[in-house]
């Protein structure tokens, strides 16, 4: 451990550690990446629903959006807990995901209920696929953390419910549905890859 040595007037030596060390081991690279990117994703989802609520909160679809938003807040809180527990560095891109997520949510909501639901379907389809891939990766490990796998499974199932609700509330009838969802899905996949490394 690196130290900083200070000498006082009495010529005694004070050794000050530069880095506080704990008995908690650092997570491995794969787990570090999973927790970081999932935290970023749930942070972004929280901001998307916040943007949708800002526009559609007082409409008929408002209670449903709020219901999904509350689940996303729980997901975000859990990954914030895991960030701290496993001493994982959050992505440096959170300020960008904050603005981009809110803008995406509000922008899609300006297209109406169907536009907001098209956004939900696009985002959640990517997240469900992403979580499934992580579950497959973790199940291959002999030292797999079963509590993290269970958390991801639970959140995947809830994201699938959000996806299905979006379809139920008319996502596929949104203007330019195919183009809109492809653009949003591309953006989500790009955000995932960037959040893994930055």
């Amino acid at each position: 451990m690196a130290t900083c040595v200070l000498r006082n007037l009495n010529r005694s030596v004070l050794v000050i550690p530069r880095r506080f060390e704990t008995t908690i081991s650092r997570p491995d690279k794969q787990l570090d990446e999973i927790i970081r990117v999932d935290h970023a994703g749930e942070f972004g989802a929280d901001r998307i629903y916040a943007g949708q609520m800002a526009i559609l909160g007082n409409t008929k679809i408002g209670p449903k959006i709020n219901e999904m938003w509350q689940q996303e807040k729980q997901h975000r809180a859990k990954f914030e807990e895991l960030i701290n527990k496993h001493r994982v560095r959050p992505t440096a891109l959170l300020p960008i995901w904050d603005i981009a997520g809110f803008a995406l949510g509000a922008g899609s909501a300006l297209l109406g209920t169907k536009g907001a639901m098209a956004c939900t379907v696009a985002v959640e389809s990517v997240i469900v696929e992403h979580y499934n891939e992580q579950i497959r990766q973790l199940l291959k490990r002999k030292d797999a953390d079963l509590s993290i796998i269970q958390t991801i499974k639970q959140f995947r199932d809830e994201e699938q419910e959000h996806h299905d609700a979006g379809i139920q509330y008319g996502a596929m009838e949104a203007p330019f549905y195919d183009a809109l969802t492809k653009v949003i899905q591309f953006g989500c996949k790009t955000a995932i890859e960037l959040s893994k490394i930055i």
Side-chain angles (χ1 to χ4, degrees), residues 2 6 14 22 31 45 50 52 75 89 122 150 166-167 179 181:
L6 300 177
L14 176 64
T22 70
L31 188 59
Q52 291 184 350
H75 297 179
R89 174 188 59 79
Q150 186 55 45
I167 297 292
T181 54

Side-chain angles (χ1 to χ4, degrees), residues 24-187:
I24 301 174
S25 61
R26 285 286 293 135
D28 58 61
K29 184 177 178 183
Q30 183 186 46
L31 188 59
D32 187 274
E33 180 183 286
I34 285 173
I35 293 172
R36 179 170 51 254
V37 73
D38 289 356
H39 171 257
E42 296 299 352
F43 178 90
D46 177 1
R47 301 310 299 146
I48 289 170
Y49 283 111
Q52 291 184 350
M53 282 297 291
I55 305 299
L56 297 173
N58 293 323
T59 67
K60 289 182 179 180
I61 195 66
K64 185 61 183 179
I65 294 173
N66 188 55
E67 176 188 319
M68 295 188 288
W69 187 21
Q70 296 312 310
Q71 283 189 319
E72 298 298 352
K73 287 180 180 180
Q74 292 171 8
H75 297 179
R76 175 181 171 181
K78 180 61 178 179
F79 277 109
E80 285 175 351
E81 175 189 318
L82 291 173
I83 282 268
N84 291 321
K85 178 181 177 181
H86 294 274
R87 298 170 57 223
V88 175
R89 174 188 59 79
T91 177
L93 299 173
L94 287 181
I96 295 173
W97 302 157
D98 184 4
I99 296 168
F102 190 90
L104 176 58
S108 65
L110 288 172
L111 297 174
T113 295
K114 293 174 182 177
M117 292 299 101
C119 174
T120 295
V121 167
V123 171
E124 302 295 18
S125 66
V126 172
I127 299 307
V128 167
E129 178 185 330
H130 169 71
Y131 277 157
N132 279 333
E133 178 57 30
Q134 286 185 338
I135 292 167
R136 285 190 289 269
Q137 290 175 4
L138 290 171
L139 287 174
K140 291 177 182 177
R141 295 173 56 127
K142 293 180 181 178
D143 63 341
D145 186 326
L146 296 181
S147 66
I148 290 180
I149 292 173
Q150 186 55 45
T151 294
I152 294 173
K153 283 183 176 180
Q154 176 190 335
F155 291 176
R156 177 212 48 202
D157 292 346
E158 290 172 355
E159 306 295 6
Q160 183 66 54
E161 290 172 6
H162 298 176
H163 171 277
D164 296 347
I167 297 292
Q168 179 185 345
Y169 282 91
M172 298 180 76
E173 299 169 24
F176 312 108
Y177 172 77
D178 288 337
L180 181 64
T181 54
K182 285 178 182 176
V183 168
I184 293 171
Q185 287 171 338
F186 176 78

